[in-house]
Amino acid sequence: MMQHLLEITDLNKAKIEALLERAQHIFQAKQHYMPQLNSLSAATVVNCFFEPSTRTHISFRLAAQRLGAQVIDFDTSRSSIEKGESLLDTFLTLQAMHCQLFVIRHAQAGIPSWLAQHANDNVAVINAGDGSHAHPSQALLDCLTVLQRKPDFSALRVVIIGDYEHTRVIRSQIAALQLLGVKQVCLIAPKNCLPDDPVALGVETETDIDVGLHDADVVITMRIQAERLQAESQQDTDTYAKQYGLSLARLRLAKPDAIVLHPGPAQRDIEISSDVLEHPACLMQQQVENGIAMRMAIMETLYKGLNL
Ligand code: CP
């Protein structure tokens, strides 16, 4: 295992499968419900969220606690960053306090990797989402959710509806799904939100959602990343909802047993309708539950590999 989890491409198929297996074991044994394990009882985990988060932040916190760790929620607004201390000096300060696992979310791509370059060999950095770049733990928990319903990845056509350029989850999901050997990934979005070189990325693209949804086994839809868009490039939300919103009528264009994923937070009746959110095919709450199990597997695995 590597020292840090910065992006999916740091992993290979065997490492992803090992994380999936461990997370699935934790899930089946219900070890993600309450503190039953003590594999991190000597560890301190620091959550450093410089960008808003509900599920990733709380999920990492619960995952750490359910492994017996001490957890610090670093509050940037009450820290010495407010007095001009740099992010790097802040990280070095917390490292000197013998914290071992740093969970970092930041609006700027590359910040977790940059901090990891300054980490001691008894410290691991986990990327909890950096700008438009990557969100590896989300992609891994999404793969766990798919695995629980459709274990043969090689048979799956996965369609992802959303803005590739500005959505870190899409980038991490493509990498994870491809390493696991999915048959096909198709990105659906307006032309200006699709990758410049889909062939190099190994994906298909489609601008017409009604065409793209045909034969889909897995439908993943994304929120418009308004916080990362210039005002002039923001899609009009009514137009987006009409052209790319996932309704129950559209879901019927996919395979009859298709499953729906959304990493959250969802904007009801914009990218996904309420009737899809409430449909049994929609596994959004399952993703949230799986998030704790997967993050337990990630932290346990990284901690075991540290030079303590
Ligand atoms: N999926 C996800 O990253 O959600 P949060 O922003 O609430 O953490």
Side-chain angles (χ1 to χ4, degrees):
M1 194 65 186
M2 67 286 162
Q3 184 180 346
H4 310 286
L5 179 62
L6 302 172
E7 51 187 300
I8 291 291
T9 45
D10 293 339
L11 302 168
N12 56 26
K13 186 178 185 193
K15 286 176 179 169
I16 294 181
E17 284 175 344
L19 286 170
L20 289 171
E21 194 180 323
R22 180 66 186 139
Q24 178 68 348
H25 174 81
I26 289 169
F27 180 87
Q28 285 174 335
K30 298 188 173 20
Q31 289 166 332
H32 59 306
Y33 276 27
M34 61 187 74
Q36 292 177 27
L37 300 175
N38 61 4
S39 42
L40 258 66
S41 59
T44 302
V45 176
V46 190
N47 275 324
C48 301
F49 280 67
F50 298 92
E51 210 190 32
S53 167
T54 298
R55 69 220 77 227
T56 311
H57 189 172
I58 295 178
S59 180
F60 267 113
R61 183 185 174 84
L62 290 175
Q65 286 174 333
R66 287 166 191 181
L67 290 168
Q70 185 175 26
V71 186
I72 308 290
D73 277 322
F74 180 75
D75 182 350
T76 50
S77 66
R78 292 160 66 92
S79 76
S80 290
I81 287 179
E82 288 295 301
K83 295 188 278 189
E85 189 166 38
S86 73
L87 178 56
L88 178 56
D89 285 331
T90 303
F91 175 74
L92 296 176
T93 300
L94 294 168
Q95 189 172 245
M97 294 183 193
H98 298 280
C99 301
Q100 290 86 22
L101 290 160
F102 287 77
V103 182
I104 312 282
R105 170 169 291 192
H106 203 284
Q108 194 181 324
I111 291 289
S113 304
W114 174 66
L115 292 176
Q117 285 166 21
H118 296 87
N120 295 334
D121 61 3
N122 60 355
V123 164
V125 174
I126 300 173
N127 181 359
D130 61 329
S132 301
H133 173 235
H135 194 348
S137 67
Q138 179 70 48
L140 292 167
L141 74 90
D142 293 340
C143 288
L144 176 63
T145 310
V146 174
L147 177 83
Q148 289 168 345
R149 293 295 184 99
K150 296 187 179 287
D152 181 5
F153 282 90
S154 70
L156 298 181
R157 169 173 158 78
V158 180
V159 305
I160 305 177
I161 309 160
D163 177 355
Y164 170 81
E165 289 302 328
H166 297 96
T167 312
R168 55 192 174 213
V169 180
I170 298 184
R171 292 158 183 264
S172 294
Q173 278 172 344
I174 293 171
L177 290 165
Q178 288 179 336
L179 280 168
L180 289 168
V182 292
K183 188 171 72 179
Q184 197 175 62
V185 175
C186 176
L187 304 184
I188 301 175
K191 199 166 174 20
N192 63 323
C193 298
L194 290 170
D196 293 335
D197 192 350
V199 177
L201 200 59
V203 299
E204 296 188 357
T205 58
E206 180 54 64
T207 54
D208 183 338
I209 185 171
D210 294 347
V211 174
L213 281 169
H214 276 289
D215 282 334
D217 300 283
V218 180
V219 180
I220 309 178
T221 186
M222 300 285 162
R223 180 178 64 86
I224 301 170
Q225 310 290 304
E227 68 276 25
R228 285 183 214 116
L229 300 177
Q230 305 290 334
E232 66 272 17
S233 66
Q234 284 196 17
Q235 297 278 340
D236 173 273
T237 47
D238 287 345
T239 310
Y240 188 87
K242 222 172 269 167
Q243 294 183 347
Y244 293 98
L246 185 65
S247 62
L248 213 45
R250 281 188 168 143
L251 181 58
R252 293 197 180 104
L253 299 170
K255 285 190 179 164
D257 63 344
I259 55 172
V260 176
L261 273 64
H262 189 312
Q267 293 180 291
R268 273 179 188 259
D269 302 314
I270 298 178
E271 75 273 9
I272 187 163
S273 66
S274 288
D275 54 8
V276 175
L277 277 171
E278 284 145 25
H279 193 275
C282 183
L283 305 182
M284 199 172 160
Q285 302 310 327
Q286 186 69 35
Q287 288 171 269
V288 175
E289 184 173 351
N290 283 336
I292 301 177
M294 177 49 78
R295 288 170 177 131
M296 287 171 76
I298 292 167
M299 287 195 282
E300 201 184 59
T301 306
L302 291 179
Y303 186 69
K304 254 191 233 160
L306 289 178
N307 188 11
L308 296 168

